[in-house]
Amino acid sequence: MAAMETEHDKTPQSLSAKFEGSFAYLTIRDRLPTILTKAVDAIHRNKNNFFEQHGEEGVNAEKRAISFLSKLRNELQTDKPVLPLTDEAEDTAAWNDYMQRQQDLMEDKQPVSWFKSPWLYVECYMYRRIQEALLLNPPISDFDVFKEAKTQSFFESQQAVISLCTYLRELLTSMDNIAENQLYDKFLEFLQVSLWGNKCDLSISAGQDNSQKTSPIDSLADLRRFMLVDDSDKVWSALMALQGSGGTEKRGARVDIILDNSGFELLTDLVLADFLISVGLAKEVRFHGKCFPWFVSDVTKEDFNWTIKQTMAFNHRQISACAVQWKRFLKEGVWSYQDHLFWTLPHEFCDMQADAADLYSTLQASDLILFKGDLNYRKLTGDRDWEHTVPFGRALRGFHPAPLCSLRTLKANVQVGLQPGQGEKLTSQELDWMTSGKYAVVQFFCPP
Ligand code: F6P
Ligand code: MG
């Protein structure tokens, strides 16, 4: 009798870092070392600051951290085995357990090495090793090697920030008696601005300027043709379902935004959250960020607070008005920020319920979870070699704490939920359509 096919059998392999000529191979060989070099440079450039703050101890820590990272770069470039973490942080055991899981999967029993591992795992691992370099070297353990790149990207997007904040504030002052279809149009605009804000991450450009220069609202019409899946109407319906009707008391939605990048993208997320609250589409927004610097530009608590502070300091009426409002939302608990170590583990999100049950149950209380960006998409879908037509819900493999939506520009070799033939057509026209950041999806799933 033929063995019954299980769900597990149908799950394709993880995208691997090992095959030559693939985007992943090029990334590992070329982009990751560049990022490590930039991290070394950032530490070195701050030598005098470390001396001023901590004296000789600071300078010695700088030297040790640099030597650690240089050794790491060599391990990566020469495909050495992946080493267990030696710091004693809260997540060290989880990382080392995960490494053991990878080792157990190796059929030839060879040690897990940089090029012979799932790409998602080694890429995450590199950022955790950068953190290890700092954790092992107090007193500079809190230093953020990517901070300068993040602040620069924020300032380089100034014009776009001004036009977006002005657009929002002017809209909110002229919104009395707005019809539902007009509100829907505005909702689409802010959702799409937040979507395209995801073009501005710094890990794809290895830390080079990738900022937004033009008015984001004006670009939307041109960008529409690059949206491969657009479930915006389902997101709208999920929010509207909580509005009550015919005199029922309005409950209003709780929206959770799983943040991705600082700089312009974070601004677009704050503006979207402001819009949702101000027009009554949501009653609460929770932002989720990373516990330590991650994938160059991802938001940490420090970046979140810095961004709000910078908007306060802007000498521009509409931006200040936004900042005052955002401070008020935070003070009143209408907005809140939280982080969790699960977001900086290499795990696919379908592991969350077992490996981070507290976070999973937090998300279960949400009415809508917005996952920003490419890395979150890779973790939602397990970074597997899926057929493009596999439904998004199936690729989630049981991860559905609440209705969820991915807002993602494509930068990695995974894409599901396309129409038959859509992926093939794109491949015949542009080989790099999945990695160029030119295309995007708004992909929604609601648990049955
Ligand atoms: O393209 C390089 C890369 O590091 C991907 O591996 C990763 O998924 C992506 O950049 C990060 O993009 P985002 O900031 O949108 O998650
Ligand atoms: Mg990112």
Side-chain angles (χ1 to χ4, degrees):
M1 196 174 74
M4 234 173 44
E5 194 186 27
T6 64
E7 197 49 43
H8 180 77
D9 296 329
K10 283 188 268 167
T11 300
Q13 290 286 309
S14 302
L15 288 163
S16 160
K18 71 182 171 213
F19 42 93
E20 190 146 357
S22 75
F23 170 81
Y25 179 85
L26 287 175
T27 307
I28 271 215
R29 292 290 294 267
D30 305 328
R31 197 173 300 170
L32 295 192
T34 309
I35 287 169
L36 283 175
T37 304
K38 291 199 177 216
V40 167
D41 289 350
I43 296 176
H44 188 62
R45 269 200 312 280
N46 279 274
K47 189 177 180 167
N48 290 343
N49 293 337
F50 297 144
F51 181 71
E52 274 164 30
Q53 286 164 25
H54 315 288
E56 276 305 317
E57 240 193 296
V59 178
N60 291 335
E62 177 248 7
K63 284 200 194 101
R64 286 193 309 267
I66 288 182
S67 130
F68 183 103
L69 291 175
S70 306
K71 190 168 156 286
L72 176 62
R73 188 173 45 203
N74 179 270
E75 288 167 25
L76 188 165
Q77 285 174 313
T78 54
D79 192 24
K80 292 279 184 310
V82 162
L83 302 174
L85 297 176
T86 58
D87 53 43
E88 282 168 16
E90 217 182 306
D91 60 346
T92 308
W95 270 96
N96 290 343
D97 286 351
Y98 197 86
M99 180 179 160
Q100 191 55 50
R101 279 193 222 173
Q102 294 303 323
Q103 188 59 62
D104 295 343
L105 291 173
M106 297 293 279
E107 279 164 14
D108 58 6
K109 301 289 167 231
Q110 291 291 311
V112 177
S113 72
W114 284 86
F115 302 165
K116 297 185 202 80
S117 303
W119 168 227
L120 177 63
Y121 169 54
V122 276
E123 199 179 12
C124 291
Y125 173 77
M126 184 195 79
Y127 288 96
R128 182 58 180 81
R129 289 289 303 276
I130 296 177
Q131 179 65 359
E132 185 188 29
L134 293 153
L135 288 179
L136 291 177
N137 288 299
I140 64 163
S141 303
D142 288 339
F143 181 68
D144 180 348
V145 293
F146 304 124
K147 185 76 198 166
E148 285 168 28
K150 287 186 271 194
T151 50
Q152 199 183 340
S153 121
F154 177 85
F155 289 123
E156 274 157 0
S157 306
Q158 255 193 44
Q159 275 317 313
V161 171
I162 292 175
S163 64
L164 187 57
C165 289
T166 304
Y167 186 77
L168 173 69
R169 292 266 76 86
E170 287 180 356
L171 176 76
L172 292 177
T173 48
S174 62
M175 285 252 319
D176 289 347
N177 300 322
I178 188 170
E180 192 174 306
N181 61 343
Q182 289 170 310
L183 186 65
Y184 176 61
D185 289 344
K186 295 297 157 197
F187 162 78
L188 289 185
E189 285 180 358
F190 288 108
L191 193 73
Q192 284 171 27
V193 166
S194 167
L195 166 70
W196 291 110
N198 181 245
K199 256 181 184 292
C200 303
D201 93 274
L202 294 171
S203 69
I204 195 166
S205 58
Q208 296 299 335
D209 174 19
N210 199 12
S211 52
Q212 172 78 26
K213 306 275 190 309
T214 52
S215 161
I217 299 281
D218 292 349
S219 320
L220 291 180
D222 277 352
L223 290 169
R224 263 215 109 98
R225 67 203 152 105
F226 300 117
M227 288 173 70
L228 303 179
V229 179
D230 183 5
D231 288 339
S232 306
D233 55 336
K234 296 184 183 145
V235 182
W236 168 260
S237 302
L239 293 171
M240 288 309 277
L242 292 159
Q243 292 300 300
S245 59
T248 340
E249 206 192 317
K250 292 181 181 178
R251 178 162 87 75
R254 175 183 130 188
V255 177
D256 286 59
I257 304 183
I258 317 304
L259 294 170
D260 186 359
N261 302 303
S262 312
F264 184 67
E265 179 169 358
L266 176 57
L267 237 297
T268 64
D269 299 333
L270 295 170
V271 164
L272 171 65
D274 186 344
F275 172 79
L276 293 177
I277 299 283
S278 300
V279 303
L281 282 169
K283 69 161 193 330
E284 184 187 350
V285 175
R286 294 192 184 197
F287 298 98
H288 299 258
K290 309 293 190 298
C291 295
F292 55 83
W294 188 246
F295 278 70
V296 187
S297 40
D298 283 21
V299 179
T300 62
K301 185 173 188 187
E302 166 86 5
D303 299 324
F304 187 86
N305 292 336
W306 181 89
T307 305
I308 304 274
K309 224 165 120 194
Q310 283 307 314
T311 46
M312 281 305 265
F314 248 86
N315 190 14
H316 187 281
R317 194 168 56 87
Q318 303 290 26
I319 299 189
S320 310
C322 282
V324 169
Q325 181 69 288
W326 298 348
K327 275 252 179 207
R328 195 167 65 79
F329 286 152
L330 287 165
K331 191 158 166 247
E332 291 171 356
V334 176
W335 280 9
S336 56
Y337 175 93
Q338 60 195 79
D339 50 27
H340 195 289
L341 279 166
F342 185 79
W343 303 122
T344 44
L345 288 173
H347 298 54
E348 309 169 21
F349 289 160
C350 64
D351 292 341
M352 188 190 288
Q353 197 163 12
D355 291 332
D358 58 331
L359 179 60
Y360 193 84
S361 65
T362 300
L363 294 180
Q364 277 181 308
S366 182
D367 297 304
L368 172 68
I369 315 170
L370 298 177
F371 284 91
K372 291 297 314 284
D374 191 67
L375 180 61
N376 278 329
Y377 191 84
R378 292 170 66 194
K379 289 184 165 188
L380 283 166
T381 57
D383 212 32
R384 305 279 169 159
D385 197 8
W386 295 107
E387 297 281 334
H388 296 310
T389 48
V390 162
F392 183 44
R394 198 185 132 213
L396 294 172
R397 280 166 311 134
F399 177 73
H400 35 72
L404 61 87
C405 178
S406 164
L407 302 175
R408 172 231 188 184
T409 59
L410 281 63
K411 303 169 198 158
N413 280 310
V414 54
Q415 182 57 54
V416 295
L418 298 187
Q419 296 302 315
Q422 199 180 359
E424 289 73 7
K425 188 165 170 220
L426 283 158
T427 306
S428 71
Q429 291 164 347
E430 288 169 65
L431 267 182
D432 65 347
W433 65 276
M434 273 191 284
T435 54
S436 60
K438 173 173 165 188
Y439 292 93
V441 291
V442 174
Q443 228 162 356
F444 179 83
F445 180 73
C446 183

